[in-house]
PDB file of all heavy atoms in Angstrom:
ATOM      1  N   TYR A1523      21.021 -58.230  33.853  1.00 90.00           N
ATOM      2  CA  TYR A1523      21.118 -59.645  33.534  1.00 90.00           C
ATOM      3  C   TYR A1523      22.444 -59.939  32.826  1.00 90.00           C
ATOM      4  O   TYR A1523      22.492 -60.280  31.654  1.00 90.00           O
ATOM      5  CB  TYR A1523      19.902 -60.103  32.722  1.00 90.00           C
ATOM      6  CG  TYR A1523      18.633 -60.029  33.544  1.00 90.00           C
ATOM      7  CD1 TYR A1523      17.943 -58.836  33.673  1.00 90.00           C
ATOM      8  CD2 TYR A1523      18.187 -61.148  34.228  1.00 90.00           C
ATOM      9  CE1 TYR A1523      16.804 -58.755  34.461  1.00 90.00           C
ATOM     10  CE2 TYR A1523      17.034 -61.074  35.007  1.00 90.00           C
ATOM     11  CZ  TYR A1523      16.360 -59.873  35.128  1.00 90.00           C
ATOM     12  OH  TYR A1523      15.232 -59.787  35.905  1.00 90.00           O
ATOM     13  N   LYS A1524      23.501 -59.786  33.603  1.00 93.00           N
ATOM     14  CA  LYS A1524      24.876 -59.910  33.098  1.00 93.00           C
ATOM     15  C   LYS A1524      25.092 -61.186  32.280  1.00 93.00           C
ATOM     16  O   LYS A1524      25.796 -61.175  31.280  1.00 93.00           O
ATOM     17  CB  LYS A1524      25.835 -59.840  34.293  1.00 93.00           C
ATOM     18  CG  LYS A1524      27.295 -59.833  33.945  1.00 93.00           C
ATOM     19  CD  LYS A1524      28.151 -59.602  35.185  1.00 93.00           C
ATOM     20  CE  LYS A1524      27.882 -60.614  36.251  1.00 93.00           C
ATOM     21  NZ  LYS A1524      28.747 -60.482  37.421  1.00 93.00           N
ATOM     22  N   ARG A1525      24.454 -62.269  32.683  1.00 95.00           N
ATOM     23  CA  ARG A1525      24.640 -63.549  31.989  1.00 95.00           C
ATOM     24  C   ARG A1525      24.273 -63.469  30.510  1.00 95.00           C
ATOM     25  O   ARG A1525      24.872 -64.132  29.671  1.00 95.00           O
ATOM     26  CB  ARG A1525      23.799 -64.638  32.679  1.00 95.00           C
ATOM     27  CG  ARG A1525      23.960 -66.030  32.090  1.00 95.00           C
ATOM     28  CD  ARG A1525      23.057 -67.036  32.771  1.00 95.00           C
ATOM     29  NE  ARG A1525      21.651 -66.803  32.540  1.00 95.00           N
ATOM     30  CZ  ARG A1525      20.989 -67.175  31.428  1.00 95.00           C
ATOM     31  NH1 ARG A1525      21.616 -67.788  30.460  1.00 95.00           N
ATOM     32  NH2 ARG A1525      19.711 -66.918  31.307  1.00 95.00           N
ATOM     33  N   THR A1526      23.295 -62.634  30.166  1.00 96.00           N
ATOM     34  CA  THR A1526      22.833 -62.548  28.773  1.00 96.00           C
ATOM     35  C   THR A1526      23.266 -61.252  28.082  1.00 96.00           C
ATOM     36  O   THR A1526      22.856 -60.993  26.955  1.00 96.00           O
ATOM     37  CB  THR A1526      21.294 -62.638  28.702  1.00 96.00           C
ATOM     38  OG1 THR A1526      20.722 -61.514  29.388  1.00 96.00           O
ATOM     39  CG2 THR A1526      20.801 -63.945  29.320  1.00 96.00           C
ATOM     40  N   PHE A1527      24.098 -60.463  28.722  1.00 97.00           N
ATOM     41  CA  PHE A1527      24.451 -59.148  28.170  1.00 97.00           C
ATOM     42  C   PHE A1527      25.154 -59.259  26.818  1.00 97.00           C
ATOM     43  O   PHE A1527      24.806 -58.569  25.864  1.00 97.00           O
ATOM     44  CB  PHE A1527      25.301 -58.374  29.174  1.00 97.00           C
ATOM     45  CG  PHE A1527      25.514 -56.927  28.825  1.00 97.00           C
ATOM     46  CD1 PHE A1527      24.488 -56.132  28.330  1.00 97.00           C
ATOM     47  CD2 PHE A1527      26.759 -56.343  29.006  1.00 97.00           C
ATOM     48  CE1 PHE A1527      24.690 -54.789  28.022  1.00 97.00           C
ATOM     49  CE2 PHE A1527      26.971 -55.008  28.700  1.00 97.00           C
ATOM     50  CZ  PHE A1527      25.935 -54.234  28.206  1.00 97.00           C
ATOM     51  N   ALA A1528      26.136 -60.135  26.718  1.00 97.00           N
ATOM     52  CA  ALA A1528      26.862 -60.278  25.447  1.00 97.00           C
ATOM     53  C   ALA A1528      25.920 -60.702  24.322  1.00 97.00           C
ATOM     54  O   ALA A1528      26.022 -60.197  23.194  1.00 97.00           O
ATOM     55  CB  ALA A1528      28.006 -61.272  25.591  1.00 97.00           C
ATOM     56  N   GLU A1529      25.000 -61.597  24.603  1.00 97.00           N
ATOM     57  CA  GLU A1529      24.031 -62.027  23.593  1.00 97.00           C
ATOM     58  C   GLU A1529      23.129 -60.866  23.170  1.00 97.00           C
ATOM     59  O   GLU A1529      22.875 -60.672  21.984  1.00 97.00           O
ATOM     60  CB  GLU A1529      23.179 -63.191  24.131  1.00 97.00           C
ATOM     61  CG  GLU A1529      22.109 -63.666  23.190  1.00 97.00           C
ATOM     62  CD  GLU A1529      22.642 -64.343  21.931  1.00 97.00           C
ATOM     63  OE1 GLU A1529      23.851 -64.629  21.849  1.00 97.00           O
ATOM     64  OE2 GLU A1529      21.831 -64.586  21.018  1.00 97.00           O
ATOM     65  N   ARG A1530      22.662 -60.086  24.118  1.00 98.00           N
ATOM     66  CA  ARG A1530      21.812 -58.936  23.774  1.00 98.00           C
ATOM     67  C   ARG A1530      22.580 -57.919  22.937  1.00 98.00           C
ATOM     68  O   ARG A1530      22.035 -57.318  22.016  1.00 98.00           O
ATOM     69  CB  ARG A1530      21.258 -58.295  25.041  1.00 98.00           C
ATOM     70  CG  ARG A1530      20.154 -59.131  25.659  1.00 98.00           C
ATOM     71  CD  ARG A1530      19.598 -58.513  26.925  1.00 98.00           C
ATOM     72  NE  ARG A1530      20.492 -58.765  28.037  1.00 98.00           N
ATOM     73  CZ  ARG A1530      20.866 -57.865  28.930  1.00 98.00           C
ATOM     74  NH1 ARG A1530      20.428 -56.624  28.873  1.00 98.00           N
ATOM     75  NH2 ARG A1530      21.687 -58.190  29.910  1.00 98.00           N
ATOM     76  N   LEU A1531      23.852 -57.756  23.236  1.00 98.00           N
ATOM     77  CA  LEU A1531      24.677 -56.820  22.465  1.00 98.00           C
ATOM     78  C   LEU A1531      24.851 -57.270  21.016  1.00 98.00           C
ATOM     79  O   LEU A1531      25.027 -56.434  20.134  1.00 98.00           O
ATOM     80  CB  LEU A1531      26.049 -56.641  23.129  1.00 98.00           C
ATOM     81  CG  LEU A1531      26.042 -55.770  24.385  1.00 98.00           C
ATOM     82  CD1 LEU A1531      27.340 -55.949  25.168  1.00 98.00           C
ATOM     83  CD2 LEU A1531      25.806 -54.308  24.033  1.00 98.00           C
ATOM     84  N   ARG A1532      24.783 -58.558  20.764  1.00 97.00           N
ATOM     85  CA  ARG A1532      24.882 -59.054  19.378  1.00 97.00           C
ATOM     86  C   ARG A1532      23.745 -58.514  18.510  1.00 97.00           C
ATOM     87  O   ARG A1532      23.893 -58.401  17.298  1.00 97.00           O
ATOM     88  CB  ARG A1532      24.859 -60.586  19.353  1.00 97.00           C
ATOM     89  CG  ARG A1532      26.127 -61.223  19.888  1.00 97.00           C
ATOM     90  CD  ARG A1532      26.127 -62.736  19.792  1.00 97.00           C
ATOM     91  NE  ARG A1532      25.841 -63.179  18.437  1.00 97.00           N
ATOM     92  CZ  ARG A1532      24.917 -64.094  18.120  1.00 97.00           C
ATOM     93  NH1 ARG A1532      24.195 -64.653  19.061  1.00 97.00           N
ATOM     94  NH2 ARG A1532      24.730 -64.459  16.873  1.00 97.00           N
ATOM     95  N   TYR A1533      22.616 -58.185  19.120  1.00 98.00           N
ATOM     96  CA  TYR A1533      21.446 -57.688  18.393  1.00 98.00           C
ATOM     97  C   TYR A1533      21.297 -56.171  18.489  1.00 98.00           C
ATOM     98  O   TYR A1533      20.613 -55.567  17.665  1.00 98.00           O
ATOM     99  CB  TYR A1533      20.171 -58.341  18.940  1.00 98.00           C
ATOM    100  CG  TYR A1533      20.062 -59.801  18.614  1.00 98.00           C
ATOM    101  CD1 TYR A1533      20.678 -60.762  19.417  1.00 98.00           C
ATOM    102  CD2 TYR A1533      19.354 -60.225  17.496  1.00 98.00           C
ATOM    103  CE1 TYR A1533      20.579 -62.108  19.123  1.00 98.00           C
ATOM    104  CE2 TYR A1533      19.255 -61.575  17.192  1.00 98.00           C
ATOM    105  CZ  TYR A1533      19.868 -62.512  18.009  1.00 98.00           C
ATOM    106  OH  TYR A1533      19.773 -63.842  17.704  1.00 98.00           O
ATOM    107  N   ALA A1534      21.893 -55.572  19.495  1.00 98.00           N
ATOM    108  CA  ALA A1534      21.717 -54.139  19.749  1.00 98.00           C
ATOM    109  C   ALA A1534      22.528 -53.291  18.782  1.00 98.00           C
ATOM    110  O   ALA A1534      23.599 -53.691  18.327  1.00 98.00           O
ATOM    111  CB  ALA A1534      22.132 -53.812  21.182  1.00 98.00           C
ATOM    112  N   ASP A1535      22.007 -52.099  18.504  1.00 95.00           N
ATOM    113  CA  ASP A1535      22.798 -51.161  17.714  1.00 95.00           C
ATOM    114  C   ASP A1535      23.182 -49.925  18.526  1.00 95.00           C
ATOM    115  O   ASP A1535      23.860 -49.046  18.034  1.00 95.00           O
ATOM    116  CB  ASP A1535      22.111 -50.783  16.393  1.00 95.00           C
ATOM    117  CG  ASP A1535      20.651 -50.436  16.524  1.00 95.00           C
ATOM    118  OD1 ASP A1535      20.236 -49.917  17.572  1.00 95.00           O
ATOM    119  OD2 ASP A1535      19.917 -50.680  15.552  1.00 95.00           O
ATOM    120  N   PHE A1536      22.771 -49.892  19.796  1.00 95.00           N
ATOM    121  CA  PHE A1536      23.150 -48.794  20.678  1.00 95.00           C
ATOM    122  C   PHE A1536      22.888 -49.222  22.111  1.00 95.00           C
ATOM    123  O   PHE A1536      21.974 -50.001  22.373  1.00 95.00           O
ATOM    124  CB  PHE A1536      22.343 -47.532  20.347  1.00 95.00           C
ATOM    125  CG  PHE A1536      22.776 -46.308  21.098  1.00 95.00           C
ATOM    126  CD1 PHE A1536      24.032 -45.768  20.896  1.00 95.00           C
ATOM    127  CD2 PHE A1536      21.934 -45.689  22.002  1.00 95.00           C
ATOM    128  CE1 PHE A1536      24.445 -44.631  21.582  1.00 95.00           C
ATOM    129  CE2 PHE A1536      22.333 -44.550  22.692  1.00 95.00           C
ATOM    130  CZ  PHE A1536      23.584 -44.017  22.484  1.00 95.00           C
ATOM    131  N   CYS A1537      23.704 -48.722  23.058  1.00 97.00           N
ATOM    132  CA  CYS A1537      23.521 -49.051  24.472  1.00 97.00           C
ATOM    133  C   CYS A1537      23.643 -47.790  25.319  1.00 97.00           C
ATOM    134  O   CYS A1537      24.541 -46.981  25.116  1.00 97.00           O
ATOM    135  CB  CYS A1537      24.555 -50.087  24.927  1.00 97.00           C
ATOM    136  SG  CYS A1537      24.314 -50.647  26.629  1.00 97.00           S
ATOM    137  N   ILE A1538      22.729 -47.656  26.252  1.00 96.00           N
ATOM    138  CA  ILE A1538      22.742 -46.552  27.216  1.00 96.00           C
ATOM    139  C   ILE A1538      23.126 -47.144  28.568  1.00 96.00           C
ATOM    140  O   ILE A1538      22.530 -48.124  29.012  1.00 96.00           O
ATOM    141  CB  ILE A1538      21.363 -45.888  27.314  1.00 96.00           C
ATOM    142  CG1 ILE A1538      20.993 -45.262  25.968  1.00 96.00           C
ATOM    143  CG2 ILE A1538      21.329 -44.865  28.446  1.00 96.00           C
ATOM    144  CD1 ILE A1538      19.526 -44.932  25.834  1.00 96.00           C
ATOM    145  N   VAL A1539      24.116 -46.534  29.214  1.00 97.00           N
ATOM    146  CA  VAL A1539      24.547 -46.960  30.538  1.00 97.00           C
ATOM    147  C   VAL A1539      24.192 -45.842  31.515  1.00 97.00           C
ATOM    148  O   VAL A1539      24.640 -44.711  31.351  1.00 97.00           O
ATOM    149  CB  VAL A1539      26.075 -47.222  30.585  1.00 97.00           C
ATOM    150  CG1 VAL A1539      26.501 -47.634  31.988  1.00 97.00           C
ATOM    151  CG2 VAL A1539      26.475 -48.266  29.556  1.00 97.00           C
ATOM    152  N   LEU A1540      23.363 -46.161  32.501  1.00 97.00           N
ATOM    153  CA  LEU A1540      23.051 -45.197  33.555  1.00 97.00           C
ATOM    154  C   LEU A1540      23.985 -45.469  34.725  1.00 97.00           C
ATOM    155  O   LEU A1540      23.888 -46.499  35.385  1.00 97.00           O
ATOM    156  CB  LEU A1540      21.592 -45.319  33.986  1.00 97.00           C
ATOM    157  CG  LEU A1540      20.558 -44.900  32.942  1.00 97.00           C
ATOM    158  CD1 LEU A1540      19.143 -45.113  33.462  1.00 97.00           C
ATOM    159  CD2 LEU A1540      20.762 -43.456  32.512  1.00 97.00           C
ATOM    160  N   ASP A1541      24.911 -44.563  34.942  1.00 97.00           N
ATOM    161  CA  ASP A1541      25.907 -44.676  36.008  1.00 97.00           C
ATOM    162  C   ASP A1541      25.519 -43.703  37.114  1.00 97.00           C
ATOM    163  O   ASP A1541      26.017 -42.581  37.170  1.00 97.00           O
ATOM    164  CB  ASP A1541      27.299 -44.376  35.447  1.00 97.00           C
ATOM    165  CG  ASP A1541      28.392 -44.583  36.476  1.00 97.00           C
ATOM    166  OD1 ASP A1541      28.113 -45.163  37.553  1.00 97.00           O
ATOM    167  OD2 ASP A1541      29.533 -44.152  36.215  1.00 97.00           O
ATOM    168  N   VAL A1542      24.604 -44.137  37.956  1.00 96.00           N
ATOM    169  CA  VAL A1542      24.010 -43.294  38.991  1.00 96.00           C
ATOM    170  C   VAL A1542      24.561 -43.716  40.349  1.00 96.00           C
ATOM    171  O   VAL A1542      24.742 -44.910  40.610  1.00 96.00           O
ATOM    172  CB  VAL A1542      22.463 -43.432  38.953  1.00 96.00           C
ATOM    173  CG1 VAL A1542      21.798 -42.596  40.036  1.00 96.00           C
ATOM    174  CG2 VAL A1542      21.938 -43.041  37.575  1.00 96.00           C
ATOM    175  N   GLU A1543      24.818 -42.736  41.205  1.00 96.00           N
ATOM    176  CA  GLU A1543      25.367 -43.016  42.531  1.00 96.00           C
ATOM    177  C   GLU A1543      24.447 -43.939  43.330  1.00 96.00           C
ATOM    178  O   GLU A1543      23.222 -43.828  43.255  1.00 96.00           O
ATOM    179  CB  GLU A1543      25.588 -41.718  43.304  1.00 96.00           C
ATOM    180  CG  GLU A1543      26.665 -40.828  42.715  1.00 96.00           C
ATOM    181  CD  GLU A1543      28.021 -41.522  42.647  1.00 96.00           C
ATOM    182  OE1 GLU A1543      28.380 -42.257  43.586  1.00 96.00           O
ATOM    183  OE2 GLU A1543      28.731 -41.323  41.654  1.00 96.00           O
ATOM    184  N   ALA A1544      25.040 -44.828  44.106  1.00 96.00           N
ATOM    185  CA  ALA A1544      24.282 -45.815  44.884  1.00 96.00           C
ATOM    186  C   ALA A1544      23.281 -45.155  45.824  1.00 96.00           C
ATOM    187  O   ALA A1544      22.154 -45.633  45.971  1.00 96.00           O
ATOM    188  CB  ALA A1544      25.235 -46.715  45.666  1.00 96.00           C
ATOM    189  N   SER A1545      23.668 -44.051  46.454  1.00 96.00           N
ATOM    190  CA  SER A1545      22.752 -43.392  47.395  1.00 96.00           C
ATOM    191  C   SER A1545      21.489 -42.903  46.686  1.00 96.00           C
ATOM    192  O   SER A1545      20.391 -42.974  47.239  1.00 96.00           O
ATOM    193  CB  SER A1545      23.457 -42.232  48.106  1.00 96.00           C
ATOM    194  OG  SER A1545      23.921 -41.284  47.152  1.00 96.00           O
ATOM    195  N   VAL A1546      21.635 -42.435  45.460  1.00 96.00           N
ATOM    196  CA  VAL A1546      20.475 -42.002  44.673  1.00 96.00           C
ATOM    197  C   VAL A1546      19.618 -43.207  44.311  1.00 96.00           C
ATOM    198  O   VAL A1546      18.384 -43.172  44.416  1.00 96.00           O
ATOM    199  CB  VAL A1546      20.924 -41.241  43.402  1.00 96.00           C
ATOM    200  CG1 VAL A1546      19.746 -40.922  42.494  1.00 96.00           C
ATOM    201  CG2 VAL A1546      21.671 -39.962  43.784  1.00 96.00           C
TER     202      VAL A1546
END
Side-chain angles (χ1 to χ4, degrees):
Y1523 294 83
K1524 185 174 56 176
R1525 183 183 67 81
T1526 63
F1527 190 42
E1529 177 68 10
R1530 286 180 281 135
L1531 285 165
R1532 289 183 53 230
Y1533 290 85
D1535 46 31
F1536 187 65
C1537 185
I1538 297 164
V1539 179
L1540 292 178
D1541 185 11
V1542 179
E1543 293 301 321
S1545 59
V1546 174

